[in-house]
């Protein structure tokens, strides 16, 4: 994630890149059935002439009480229009404890709101409020807010997960800029610091004060995430960036 900058007019602050992360166990409480975590993730954001294509592949093994090991192997691919009005996604997941999943879908927004349609067994449909962000749009909103000194961003975000988890209400807290040189392995993607960011995710109709999960991450001004931690309550997963690569940019008329 030498370094190609996105052409002016093609996108905002985020640069196209491919990042590789190592995943380990973070915190866990006494009630956690997960005792260890190990895994790798490869995440890329690529440009085309009208939007962003994102791809994430990961494999994670969970050490469970009693000596059992559970594994998830996942592939997620999405495309998001620059205009923020269209989004499509494909998911394939193999899991030793939840079975195999494979589905796709698309979402479309208007000024009055939108709808997301799922190509699954039930052909689910999810109604989207008019303030819904798609993932890349949300990241750029966070960066713009951080540059403007805004510290709290509330938004509905559609991520393209399973229907009951695809639309989430989020509350983002952006910390002050921290000057910190990136490791040499970042190459041309290095920035002179980062913002510490926390995003809490809630089900839209949830009444509990505790979020479904939280993500804490170190966000550079070019959209590269140095590290992140996903907190599920009973345990968390930490991810540290191992390597980052350039990806080619499109030639657009």
């Amino acid at each position: 994630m030498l370094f190609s900058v996105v052409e002016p007019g093609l996108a905002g602050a985020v640069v196209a890149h491919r990042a590789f992360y190592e995943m380990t166990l973070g915190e866990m409480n006494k009630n956690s059935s997960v005792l260890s975590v190990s895994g790798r993730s490869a995440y890329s954001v690529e440009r085309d002439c009208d939007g962003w294509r994102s791809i994430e592949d990961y494999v994670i093994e969970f050490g469970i009480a009693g000596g059992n090991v559970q594994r998830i192997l996942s592939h997620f691919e999405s495309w998001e229009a620059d205009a923020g009005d269209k989004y499509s996604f494909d998911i394939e997941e193999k899991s030793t404890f939840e079975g195999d999943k494979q589905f796709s879908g698309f979402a479309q927004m208007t000024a009055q709101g939108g709808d997301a349609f799922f190509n699954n067994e039930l052909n689910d449909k999810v109604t989207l409020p008019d303030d819904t962000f798609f993932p890349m749009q949300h990241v750029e909103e966070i960066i713009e807010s951080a540059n403007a000194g805004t510290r709290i961003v509330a938004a509905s975000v559609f991520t393209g997960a399973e229907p009951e988890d695809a639309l989430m209400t989020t509350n983002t807290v952006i910390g002050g800029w921290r000057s910190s040189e990136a490791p040499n392995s970042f190459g041309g993607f290095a920035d002179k610091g980062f913002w510490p960011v926390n995003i809490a995710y809630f089900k839209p109709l949830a009444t509990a004060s505790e979020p479904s999960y939280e993500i804490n991450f170190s966000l550079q001004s070019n959209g590269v995430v140095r590290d992140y931690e996903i907190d599920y309550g009973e345990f968390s997963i930490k991810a540290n960036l191992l390597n980052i690569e350039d990806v080619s940019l499109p030639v657009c008329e």
Side-chain angles (χ1 to χ4, degrees):
M1 275 187 215
L2 203 241
F3 174 66
S4 297
V5 178
V6 178
E7 297 175 28
L10 275 179
V14 177
V15 297
H17 63 277
R18 181 177 297 110
F20 301 87
Y21 297 89
E22 181 177 23
M23 309 175 85
T24 58
L25 179 66
E27 302 291 331
M28 66 175 183
N29 65 29
K30 62 181 181 181
N31 298 318
S32 175
S33 60
V34 174
L35 303 181
S36 66
V37 173
S38 62
R40 293 291 177 96
S41 170
Y43 175 70
S44 65
V45 287
E46 304 173 5
R47 284 296 308 171
D48 67 17
C49 296
D50 300 309
W52 287 99
R53 179 171 177 256
S54 299
I55 304 170
E56 183 178 28
D57 291 285
Y58 66 80
V59 57
I60 307 177
E61 289 190 342
F62 300 90
I64 307 299
N68 295 321
V69 176
Q70 304 286 357
R71 174 182 293 179
I72 297 178
L73 179 66
S74 176
H75 174 80
F76 179 83
E77 189 167 335
S78 67
W79 179 85
E80 179 178 333
D82 282 335
D85 60 341
K86 297 180 179 67
Y87 184 73
S88 61
F89 54 94
D90 291 277
I91 298 172
E92 184 175 359
E93 185 175 287
K94 297 182 181 297
S95 168
T96 56
F97 54 91
E98 290 187 342
D100 295 351
K101 303 174 186 177
Q102 185 172 4
F103 60 91
S104 60
F106 68 95
Q108 188 160 357
M109 294 293 299
T110 69
Q112 290 72 44
D115 293 296
F117 303 89
F118 293 78
N119 298 320
N120 56 14
E121 293 180 357
L122 299 177
N123 291 319
D124 287 301
K125 175 183 172 182
V126 174
T127 300
L128 308 177
D130 59 8
D131 64 346
T132 299
F133 284 83
F134 297 131
M136 288 300 300
Q137 185 185 23
H138 190 222
V139 171
E140 294 209 345
E141 176 70 15
I142 292 171
I143 293 174
E144 290 178 10
S145 297
N147 279 319
T150 301
R151 295 301 176 217
I152 297 177
V153 177
S156 298
V157 179
F158 181 82
T159 63
E162 294 186 74
E164 60 270 21
D165 297 317
L167 177 65
M168 302 292 283
T169 299
T170 68
N171 187 55
T172 301
V173 178
I174 307 167
W177 178 260
R178 296 185 183 178
S179 297
S180 174
E181 293 290 341
N184 292 335
S185 59
F186 279 45
F189 291 92
D191 205 345
K192 295 184 180 299
F194 62 89
W195 293 287
V197 178
N198 171 271
I199 307 179
Y201 292 80
F202 301 84
K203 295 287 184 69
L205 299 178
T207 57
S209 59
E210 293 296 321
S212 296
Y213 58 94
E214 295 181 75
I215 302 180
N216 297 283
F217 54 99
S218 302
L219 178 66
Q220 295 190 162
S221 61
N222 57 6
V224 172
V225 173
R226 294 187 179 186
D227 54 67
Y228 63 89
E229 183 172 9
I230 309 173
D231 186 352
Y232 294 104
E234 291 187 2
F235 70 98
S236 67
I237 298 174
K238 295 181 68 175
N240 290 304
L241 194 146
L242 297 175
N243 190 29
I244 190 167
E245 300 177 348
D246 193 11
V247 295
S248 60
L249 293 172
V251 177
C252 305
E253 296 183 356

